Amino acid sequence: RTAILDLSARRRAEFDAQSLRDRLTDCLQSIPNPIGLFDAADRFVYGNQAFLELMEHEESQLLGMAFEAMLDALLASNAKELKGESPADWKRRRIEYHRNPVGAFDDCIIRGRTFRITDRRTRYGGTVVVLTDRSDDVRRAAEVEAARIAATAANRAKNEFLSSMSHELRTPLNSVLGFAQLLERDRDPQLTPRQLTWVSHVLRGGEHLLQLIDEILDLARIESGSFVFERAPIDVHGVLRDVMT
């Protein structure tokens, strides 16, 4: 007796399934973030190339390894920076999150790179572990914070300089204004009208310079939020006369 069975449909189904697996594998391998898959018994069954490079093992070495054993190997290699936390405490917290993966785990520094760890359950009781590389974000945040600190320090130094400079300018300016006032009031000998005009120019210029110094101090008040604007009348004709003179 001879039986001939048509396996074409089965072969096509197997081919389609293999093609789907290959496409899925290609997609996972192209993802730069490490991805590891553990079965319902919490044993390693798959990892993309980024995951294997992070663990520094071949896939054949990791297949069947329990999740807890993989944590032990990671800690034993000193690849994980603990930041003062004991290995036992970190391992306990990591396993607790792995068993009840809600949200994301703390950012972890592994082999000098910062990762955000996210575990998710599969429909078959397994777990997918995804490590999102945040090294660039952390570096940029540190650069921004350093720039902010530098800008704050520079701004503080500028305000101190403006305040100090303003007070230092007042000292010689007070001498100029004081002696100009003495010349204007001196009656022995009496200054000529032409000389009095010159002295008045010195006084007006000095008073204008004194006002500019006060306005420099206003810059520091503006940045500190303590500056108050006031409306005041201006003698426009007097200003124009001073300019023309």
Side-chain angles (χ1 to χ4, degrees), residues 34-38 51 67 94 98 117-120 127-131:
I35 298 176
L37 177 61
F38 295 81
F51 187 90
F67 178 78
R94 180 67 183 92
H98 184 73
I117 300 177
T118 305
D119 293 357
R120 290 294 180 265
T127 307
V128 177
V129 178
V130 180
L131 294 89

Side-chain angles (χ1 to χ4, degrees), residues 90-121:
W90 181 83
K91 177 183 173 181
R92 174 184 52 78
R93 291 195 306 109
R94 180 67 183 92
I95 292 177
E96 288 177 356
Y97 170 75
H98 184 73
R99 291 172 179 171
N100 184 28
V102 177
F105 192 65
D106 301 340
D107 285 359
C108 298
I109 300 178
I110 303 176
R111 305 195 193 282
R113 296 158 60 193
T114 303
F115 294 95
R116 174 165 294 169
I117 300 177
T118 305
D119 293 357
R120 290 294 180 265
R121 294 293 186 193

Side-chain angles (χ1 to χ4, degrees), residues 110-153:
I110 303 176
R111 305 195 193 282
R113 296 158 60 193
T114 303
F115 294 95
R116 174 165 294 169
I117 300 177
T118 305
D119 293 357
R120 290 294 180 265
R121 294 293 186 193
T122 67
R123 67 175 65 183
Y124 301 107
T127 307
V128 177
V129 178
V130 180
L131 294 89
T132 304
D133 194 343
R134 299 188 62 251
S135 303
D136 291 340
D137 295 338
V138 172
R139 176 180 52 80
R140 282 192 291 267
E143 292 174 352
V144 169
E145 179 63 15
R148 186 192 65 80
I149 293 174
T152 301

Side-chain angles (χ1 to χ4, degrees), residues 15-231:
F15 177 80
D16 293 341
Q18 183 62 42
S19 298
L20 181 60
R21 284 194 294 269
D22 291 342
R23 286 196 296 269
L24 180 59
T25 300
D26 290 341
C27 291
L28 291 174
Q29 293 294 352
S30 65
I31 296 176
N33 293 321
I35 298 176
L37 177 61
F38 295 81
D39 60 15
D42 217 10
R43 297 188 179 278
F44 180 79
V45 293
Y46 176 79
N48 65 353
Q49 187 61 33
F51 187 90
L52 300 177
E53 291 176 355
L54 183 66
M55 297 302 299
E56 293 188 346
H57 284 78
E58 297 293 335
E59 187 176 32
S60 58
Q61 297 173 308
L62 296 177
L63 284 176
M65 181 181 291
F67 178 78
E68 185 174 352
M70 191 172 292
L71 292 183
D72 291 334
L74 189 67
L75 292 171
S77 64
N78 295 322
K80 167 71 177 67
E81 294 185 20
L82 296 172
K83 295 183 178 180
E85 188 178 18
S86 68
D89 288 342
W90 181 83
K91 177 183 173 181
R92 174 184 52 78
R93 291 195 306 109
R94 180 67 183 92
I95 292 177
E96 288 177 356
Y97 170 75
H98 184 73
R99 291 172 179 171
N100 184 28
V102 177
F105 192 65
D106 301 340
D107 285 359
C108 298
I109 300 178
I110 303 176
R111 305 195 193 282
R113 296 158 60 193
T114 303
F115 294 95
R116 174 165 294 169
I117 300 177
T118 305
D119 293 357
R120 290 294 180 265
R121 294 293 186 193
T122 67
R123 67 175 65 183
Y124 301 107
T127 307
V128 177
V129 178
V130 180
L131 294 89
T132 304
D133 194 343
R134 299 188 62 251
S135 303
D136 291 340
D137 295 338
V138 172
R139 176 180 52 80
R140 282 192 291 267
E143 292 174 352
V144 169
E145 179 63 15
R148 186 192 65 80
I149 293 174
T152 301
N155 187 60
R156 187 184 305 112
K158 180 197 67 177
N159 290 337
E160 293 175 356
F161 169 75
L162 289 176
S163 178
S164 175
M165 181 191 68
S166 301
H167 289 295
E168 293 298 330
L169 288 176
R170 283 177 180 272
T171 302
L173 183 58
N174 286 335
S175 298
V176 173
L177 291 175
F179 281 105
Q181 291 170 355
L182 289 176
L183 288 173
E184 185 181 43
R185 299 173 183 176
D186 195 8
R187 297 294 181 267
D188 186 23
Q190 178 69 44
L191 294 181
T192 65
R194 186 180 183 186
Q195 290 172 331
L196 288 174
T197 301
W198 294 344
V199 171
S200 67
H201 288 321
V202 174
L203 287 172
R204 282 199 300 272
E207 291 170 354
H208 181 63
L209 184 57
L210 189 60
Q211 182 181 1
L212 291 178
I213 294 174
D214 290 336
E215 291 174 353
I216 290 176
L217 289 176
D218 286 342
L219 291 176
R221 298 189 186 101
I222 290 173
E223 294 187 354
S224 65
S226 60
F227 183 79
V228 178
F229 288 95
E230 296 180 356
R231 292 180 177 270

